[in-house]
Amino acid sequence: MSACGGPSKPMTPAERGRIVYMTNCVICHNADPNLPGSQGPPIAGSPRELVYDRVMFLKYPPGYTPKRTTHAMRALPQLKDRIDDIVAFLAEAAKNK
């Protein structure tokens, strides 16, 4: 047991996703994913397929119409194992509009 009250509880996927988002995405997207960022559109509530395709391959899922026509985003394949966490964070953010 630590002097600060014992072990902490494990983080939720949304909590982990917030850390990933703030570390990798906030540079272009707003800290509040419900709002537009300096270069990126609002992305709160984005579906997993969209997040996966954009983060991994810079493409859009079939039938998706982009919110912006810029092509500033870069692929972040190192986040492959964090996609579900990011999606959980974006879903949580959409609930808190």
Side-chain angles (χ1 to χ4, degrees):
M1 289 283 207
S2 80
C4 294
S8 62
K9 66 178 186 169
M11 284 194 288
T12 67
E15 290 168 336
R16 288 191 306 266
R18 181 183 183 284
I19 293 169
V20 174
Y21 180 88
M22 293 299 179
T23 304
N24 297 277
C25 310
V26 77
I27 189 78
C28 296
H29 294 280
N30 197 300
D32 177 350
N34 290 292
L35 302 173
S38 62
Q39 295 182 37
I43 58 174
S46 293
R48 187 186 192 287
E49 183 180 22
L50 173 61
V51 175
Y52 182 83
D53 284 353
R54 291 301 291 156
V55 169
M56 296 300 297
F57 308 110
L58 298 180
K59 68 178 189 169
Y60 294 100
Y64 181 83
T65 302
K67 295 177 182 176
R68 294 192 179 177
T69 58
T70 59
H71 298 283
M73 188 168 167
R74 61 184 174 89
L76 300 165
Q78 71 275 18
L79 300 181
K80 179 182 179 212
D81 295 334
R82 294 292 171 214
I83 299 292
D84 290 330
D85 294 336
I86 296 167
V87 172
F89 168 67
L90 296 176
E92 187 80 16
K95 290 183 207 174
N96 297 321
K97 279 189 188 179

